[in-house]
Short mmCIF file of all heavy atoms in Angstrom, two decimals:
data_model
loop_
_atom_site.label_atom_id
_atom_site.label_comp_id
_atom_site.label_asym_id
_atom_site.label_seq_id
_atom_site.Cartn_x
_atom_site.Cartn_y
_atom_site.Cartn_z
N ASP A 7 -28.61 -73.70 -56.49
CA ASP A 7 -29.63 -72.68 -56.48
C ASP A 7 -31.00 -73.21 -56.76
O ASP A 7 -31.14 -73.94 -57.77
CB ASP A 7 -29.34 -71.51 -57.39
CG ASP A 7 -30.22 -70.37 -57.32
OD1 ASP A 7 -30.63 -69.90 -56.17
OD2 ASP A 7 -30.70 -69.88 -58.42
N VAL A 8 -32.00 -72.94 -55.95
CA VAL A 8 -33.35 -73.46 -56.20
C VAL A 8 -34.46 -72.35 -56.49
O VAL A 8 -34.30 -71.26 -55.96
CB VAL A 8 -33.76 -74.24 -54.90
CG1 VAL A 8 -35.18 -74.62 -55.03
CG2 VAL A 8 -32.88 -75.22 -54.53
N GLN A 9 -35.15 -72.64 -57.50
CA GLN A 9 -36.31 -71.69 -57.93
C GLN A 9 -37.56 -72.59 -57.99
O GLN A 9 -37.55 -73.69 -58.37
CB GLN A 9 -35.97 -71.22 -59.34
CG GLN A 9 -34.83 -70.35 -59.49
CD GLN A 9 -34.79 -69.14 -58.67
OE1 GLN A 9 -35.84 -68.47 -58.52
NE2 GLN A 9 -33.70 -68.66 -58.16
N LYS A 10 -38.66 -71.90 -57.63
CA LYS A 10 -39.96 -72.61 -57.64
C LYS A 10 -40.91 -72.20 -58.69
O LYS A 10 -40.92 -70.99 -59.00
CB LYS A 10 -40.65 -72.40 -56.27
CG LYS A 10 -40.05 -73.06 -55.10
CD LYS A 10 -40.78 -72.91 -53.90
CE LYS A 10 -40.14 -73.61 -52.69
NZ LYS A 10 -40.89 -73.59 -51.60
N CYS A 11 -41.61 -73.05 -59.23
CA CYS A 11 -42.65 -72.75 -60.25
C CYS A 11 -43.92 -73.17 -59.73
O CYS A 11 -44.22 -74.45 -59.58
CB CYS A 11 -42.31 -73.38 -61.63
SG CYS A 11 -40.93 -72.82 -62.43
N GLU A 12 -44.69 -72.19 -59.16
CA GLU A 12 -45.98 -72.66 -58.55
C GLU A 12 -46.97 -71.43 -58.71
O GLU A 12 -46.57 -70.34 -58.96
CB GLU A 12 -45.75 -73.01 -57.09
CG GLU A 12 -45.12 -71.85 -56.25
CD GLU A 12 -44.77 -72.31 -54.89
OE1 GLU A 12 -44.75 -73.59 -54.68
OE2 GLU A 12 -44.41 -71.39 -54.09
N VAL A 13 -48.20 -71.73 -58.54
CA VAL A 13 -49.28 -70.63 -58.50
C VAL A 13 -49.99 -70.79 -57.07
O VAL A 13 -49.94 -71.85 -56.56
CB VAL A 13 -50.23 -70.91 -59.69
CG1 VAL A 13 -49.66 -70.60 -61.04
CG2 VAL A 13 -50.95 -72.19 -59.62
N THR A 14 -50.49 -69.69 -56.74
CA THR A 14 -51.31 -69.64 -55.47
C THR A 14 -52.66 -70.25 -55.66
O THR A 14 -53.17 -70.21 -56.82
CB THR A 14 -51.41 -68.30 -54.84
OG1 THR A 14 -52.13 -67.45 -55.66
CG2 THR A 14 -49.91 -67.73 -54.61
N ALA A 15 -53.37 -70.51 -54.63
CA ALA A 15 -54.68 -70.99 -54.79
C ALA A 15 -55.65 -69.81 -55.30
O ALA A 15 -56.47 -70.12 -56.12
CB ALA A 15 -55.27 -71.41 -53.40
N ASN A 16 -55.38 -68.64 -54.99
CA ASN A 16 -56.05 -67.51 -55.40
C ASN A 16 -55.84 -67.30 -57.08
O ASN A 16 -56.71 -67.07 -57.66
CB ASN A 16 -55.68 -66.12 -54.75
CG ASN A 16 -56.52 -65.05 -55.02
OD1 ASN A 16 -57.69 -65.16 -55.16
ND2 ASN A 16 -55.98 -63.88 -55.30
N GLU A 17 -54.59 -67.48 -57.43
CA GLU A 17 -54.41 -67.48 -58.84
C GLU A 17 -55.00 -68.45 -59.60
O GLU A 17 -55.53 -68.27 -60.79
CB GLU A 17 -52.81 -67.51 -59.18
CG GLU A 17 -52.07 -66.34 -58.66
CD GLU A 17 -50.53 -66.51 -58.82
OE1 GLU A 17 -50.03 -67.72 -58.58
OE2 GLU A 17 -49.79 -65.55 -59.17
N GLU A 18 -55.06 -69.61 -59.06
CA GLU A 18 -55.73 -70.83 -59.72
C GLU A 18 -57.32 -70.56 -59.83
O GLU A 18 -57.89 -70.87 -60.77
CB GLU A 18 -55.51 -72.18 -59.00
CG GLU A 18 -56.06 -73.30 -59.89
CD GLU A 18 -55.57 -74.69 -59.33
OE1 GLU A 18 -54.46 -74.70 -58.62
OE2 GLU A 18 -56.24 -75.65 -59.53
N MET A 19 -57.84 -70.10 -58.74
CA MET A 19 -59.28 -69.69 -58.77
C MET A 19 -59.60 -68.65 -59.81
O MET A 19 -60.63 -68.65 -60.40
CB MET A 19 -59.69 -69.21 -57.33
CG MET A 19 -59.80 -70.28 -56.36
SD MET A 19 -60.14 -69.75 -54.69
CE MET A 19 -61.42 -68.54 -54.92
N MET A 20 -58.76 -67.62 -59.92
CA MET A 20 -59.02 -66.54 -60.91
C MET A 20 -58.76 -66.97 -62.32
O MET A 20 -59.51 -66.63 -63.19
CB MET A 20 -58.05 -65.42 -60.64
CG MET A 20 -58.22 -64.82 -59.19
SD MET A 20 -59.84 -63.96 -59.00
CE MET A 20 -59.63 -62.64 -60.10
N THR A 21 -57.84 -67.89 -62.63
CA THR A 21 -57.63 -68.22 -63.99
C THR A 21 -57.93 -69.65 -64.44
O THR A 21 -57.96 -69.99 -65.59
CB THR A 21 -55.97 -68.15 -64.35
OG1 THR A 21 -55.30 -69.08 -63.46
CG2 THR A 21 -55.42 -66.73 -64.06
N GLY A 22 -58.20 -70.56 -63.44
CA GLY A 22 -58.68 -71.84 -63.74
C GLY A 22 -57.40 -72.78 -63.64
O GLY A 22 -56.38 -72.32 -63.87
N ALA A 23 -57.69 -74.03 -63.56
CA ALA A 23 -56.68 -74.96 -63.30
C ALA A 23 -55.86 -75.18 -64.64
O ALA A 23 -54.67 -75.20 -64.63
CB ALA A 23 -57.24 -76.38 -62.94
N PHE A 24 -56.49 -75.07 -65.76
CA PHE A 24 -55.83 -75.20 -67.11
C PHE A 24 -54.83 -74.19 -67.27
O PHE A 24 -53.67 -74.39 -67.70
CB PHE A 24 -56.83 -75.29 -68.17
CG PHE A 24 -56.24 -75.53 -69.53
CD1 PHE A 24 -55.64 -76.59 -69.97
CD2 PHE A 24 -56.11 -74.34 -70.37
CE1 PHE A 24 -55.01 -76.76 -71.25
CE2 PHE A 24 -55.50 -74.45 -71.67
CZ PHE A 24 -55.02 -75.71 -72.07
N MET A 25 -55.28 -72.92 -67.10
CA MET A 25 -54.39 -71.77 -67.37
C MET A 25 -53.18 -71.73 -66.24
O MET A 25 -52.06 -71.29 -66.57
CB MET A 25 -55.22 -70.44 -67.24
CG MET A 25 -56.16 -70.29 -68.52
SD MET A 25 -55.24 -70.41 -70.06
CE MET A 25 -54.31 -68.87 -70.01
N SER A 26 -53.57 -72.07 -65.08
CA SER A 26 -52.55 -72.17 -64.01
C SER A 26 -51.47 -73.28 -64.42
O SER A 26 -50.24 -73.04 -64.22
CB SER A 26 -53.12 -72.51 -62.68
OG SER A 26 -53.91 -71.37 -62.21
N GLY A 27 -51.92 -74.42 -64.92
CA GLY A 27 -50.99 -75.44 -65.34
C GLY A 27 -50.13 -74.94 -66.45
O GLY A 27 -48.88 -75.19 -66.44
N LEU A 28 -50.62 -74.18 -67.39
CA LEU A 28 -49.74 -73.59 -68.48
C LEU A 28 -48.78 -72.59 -67.83
O LEU A 28 -47.56 -72.60 -68.45
CB LEU A 28 -50.67 -72.92 -69.45
CG LEU A 28 -51.59 -73.80 -70.35
CD1 LEU A 28 -52.45 -72.94 -71.29
CD2 LEU A 28 -50.78 -74.75 -71.15
N GLN A 29 -49.17 -71.85 -66.86
CA GLN A 29 -48.28 -70.93 -66.27
C GLN A 29 -47.07 -71.67 -65.64
O GLN A 29 -45.88 -71.23 -65.89
CB GLN A 29 -48.94 -70.02 -65.33
CG GLN A 29 -48.08 -68.93 -64.55
CD GLN A 29 -48.86 -68.25 -63.63
OE1 GLN A 29 -50.14 -68.19 -63.58
NE2 GLN A 29 -48.17 -67.50 -62.80
N VAL A 30 -47.35 -72.69 -65.02
CA VAL A 30 -46.26 -73.49 -64.39
C VAL A 30 -45.31 -74.25 -65.42
O VAL A 30 -44.15 -74.13 -65.31
CB VAL A 30 -46.80 -74.60 -63.38
CG1 VAL A 30 -45.80 -75.54 -62.95
CG2 VAL A 30 -47.57 -73.87 -62.23
N ASP A 31 -46.01 -74.67 -66.52
CA ASP A 31 -45.28 -75.31 -67.52
C ASP A 31 -44.29 -74.28 -68.23
O ASP A 31 -43.15 -74.56 -68.50
CB ASP A 31 -46.20 -75.83 -68.63
CG ASP A 31 -46.87 -77.07 -68.13
OD1 ASP A 31 -46.52 -77.65 -67.04
OD2 ASP A 31 -47.85 -77.50 -68.78
N ARG A 32 -44.77 -73.09 -68.43
CA ARG A 32 -43.97 -72.02 -69.00
C ARG A 32 -42.84 -71.58 -68.09
O ARG A 32 -41.72 -71.48 -68.59
CB ARG A 32 -44.89 -70.83 -69.40
CG ARG A 32 -44.26 -69.85 -70.18
CD ARG A 32 -45.22 -68.74 -70.79
NE ARG A 32 -46.25 -68.33 -69.77
CZ ARG A 32 -47.54 -68.65 -69.98
NH1 ARG A 32 -47.98 -69.26 -70.98
NH2 ARG A 32 -48.53 -68.37 -69.02
N CYS A 33 -43.14 -71.62 -66.85
CA CYS A 33 -42.03 -71.38 -65.88
C CYS A 33 -40.97 -72.27 -65.82
O CYS A 33 -39.73 -72.10 -65.91
CB CYS A 33 -42.62 -71.13 -64.35
SG CYS A 33 -41.49 -71.06 -63.10
N VAL A 34 -41.34 -73.57 -65.90
CA VAL A 34 -40.38 -74.72 -65.91
C VAL A 34 -39.61 -74.61 -67.21
O VAL A 34 -38.23 -74.73 -67.14
CB VAL A 34 -41.08 -76.11 -65.82
CG1 VAL A 34 -40.19 -77.24 -66.17
CG2 VAL A 34 -41.74 -76.23 -64.51
N GLU A 35 -40.20 -74.29 -68.33
CA GLU A 35 -39.44 -74.19 -69.61
C GLU A 35 -38.40 -73.07 -69.48
O GLU A 35 -37.24 -73.28 -69.99
CB GLU A 35 -40.32 -74.02 -70.75
CG GLU A 35 -41.19 -75.25 -71.16
CD GLU A 35 -42.20 -74.85 -72.19
OE1 GLU A 35 -42.24 -73.83 -72.71
OE2 GLU A 35 -43.06 -75.81 -72.54
N GLN A 36 -38.80 -72.03 -68.99
CA GLN A 36 -37.76 -70.83 -68.80
C GLN A 36 -36.62 -71.23 -67.98
O GLN A 36 -35.48 -70.94 -68.26
CB GLN A 36 -38.58 -69.62 -68.30
CG GLN A 36 -39.50 -68.99 -69.27
CD GLN A 36 -40.38 -67.97 -68.70
OE1 GLN A 36 -40.35 -67.80 -67.46
NE2 GLN A 36 -41.02 -67.18 -69.50
N TRP A 37 -36.92 -71.89 -66.92
CA TRP A 37 -35.65 -72.35 -65.95
C TRP A 37 -34.87 -73.30 -66.63
O TRP A 37 -33.63 -73.30 -66.38
CB TRP A 37 -36.22 -72.58 -64.64
CG TRP A 37 -36.59 -71.48 -63.76
CD1 TRP A 37 -37.82 -71.07 -63.36
CD2 TRP A 37 -35.71 -70.39 -63.32
NE1 TRP A 37 -37.85 -69.91 -62.62
CE2 TRP A 37 -36.58 -69.49 -62.61
CE3 TRP A 37 -34.41 -70.02 -63.37
CZ2 TRP A 37 -36.05 -68.24 -61.99
CZ3 TRP A 37 -33.96 -68.91 -62.82
CH2 TRP A 37 -34.71 -68.09 -62.15
N GLU A 38 -35.51 -74.27 -67.27
CA GLU A 38 -34.83 -75.42 -67.93
C GLU A 38 -33.82 -74.71 -68.98
O GLU A 38 -32.75 -75.20 -69.10
CB GLU A 38 -35.68 -76.34 -68.54
CG GLU A 38 -36.29 -77.37 -67.53
CD GLU A 38 -37.20 -78.41 -68.07
OE1 GLU A 38 -37.72 -78.17 -69.14
OE2 GLU A 38 -37.29 -79.34 -67.37
N ALA A 39 -34.35 -73.71 -69.65
CA ALA A 39 -33.44 -73.03 -70.77
C ALA A 39 -32.15 -72.44 -70.04
O ALA A 39 -31.23 -72.18 -70.75
CB ALA A 39 -34.27 -71.97 -71.44
N LEU A 40 -32.32 -72.14 -68.78
CA LEU A 40 -31.12 -71.51 -68.12
C LEU A 40 -30.36 -72.61 -67.28
O LEU A 40 -29.46 -72.17 -66.53
CB LEU A 40 -31.60 -70.48 -67.15
CG LEU A 40 -32.38 -69.22 -67.70
CD1 LEU A 40 -33.00 -68.36 -66.56
CD2 LEU A 40 -31.39 -68.41 -68.46
N GLY A 41 -30.55 -73.82 -67.60
CA GLY A 41 -29.77 -74.86 -67.05
C GLY A 41 -30.28 -75.52 -65.84
O GLY A 41 -29.60 -76.37 -65.13
N TYR A 42 -31.46 -75.20 -65.38
CA TYR A 42 -32.12 -75.83 -64.14
C TYR A 42 -32.75 -77.07 -64.49
O TYR A 42 -33.18 -77.24 -65.63
CB TYR A 42 -33.10 -74.82 -63.49
CG TYR A 42 -32.44 -73.60 -62.85
CD1 TYR A 42 -31.82 -72.57 -63.43
CD2 TYR A 42 -32.51 -73.54 -61.41
CE1 TYR A 42 -31.21 -71.62 -62.84
CE2 TYR A 42 -32.00 -72.51 -60.71
CZ TYR A 42 -31.25 -71.48 -61.45
OH TYR A 42 -30.71 -70.47 -60.78
N ARG A 43 -32.88 -77.96 -63.53
CA ARG A 43 -33.58 -79.20 -63.70
C ARG A 43 -34.54 -79.37 -62.53
O ARG A 43 -34.45 -78.85 -61.42
CB ARG A 43 -32.56 -80.33 -63.81
CG ARG A 43 -31.67 -80.38 -64.93
CD ARG A 43 -32.44 -80.52 -66.20
NE ARG A 43 -31.51 -80.19 -67.36
CZ ARG A 43 -31.80 -79.30 -68.26
NH1 ARG A 43 -32.93 -78.56 -68.20
NH2 ARG A 43 -31.03 -79.08 -69.33
N LYS A 44 -35.57 -80.19 -62.73
CA LYS A 44 -36.48 -80.59 -61.66
C LYS A 44 -35.71 -81.11 -60.46
O LYS A 44 -34.92 -82.14 -60.68
CB LYS A 44 -37.63 -81.36 -62.09
CG LYS A 44 -38.46 -80.73 -63.12
CD LYS A 44 -39.63 -81.59 -63.50
CE LYS A 44 -40.51 -80.87 -64.53
NZ LYS A 44 -41.54 -81.70 -65.11
N ALA A 45 -35.95 -80.51 -59.30
CA ALA A 45 -35.13 -81.04 -58.03
C ALA A 45 -35.84 -82.34 -57.66
O ALA A 45 -37.09 -82.45 -57.70
CB ALA A 45 -35.24 -80.01 -56.97
#
Side-chain angles (χ1 to χ4, degrees):
D7 184 45
V8 176
Q9 300 295 328
K10 291 185 178 183
C11 291
E12 59 190 13
V13 294
T14 65
N16 189 43
E17 289 173 324
E18 187 169 337
M19 286 175 42
M20 296 296 289
T21 63
F24 178 75
M25 292 302 291
S26 293
L28 290 178
Q29 181 180 346
V30 170
D31 291 345
R32 193 168 35 246
C33 174
V34 169
E35 289 174 7
Q36 289 173 344
W37 283 113
E38 284 179 339
L40 295 173
Y42 285 71
R43 297 291 168 243
K44 292 181 181 176

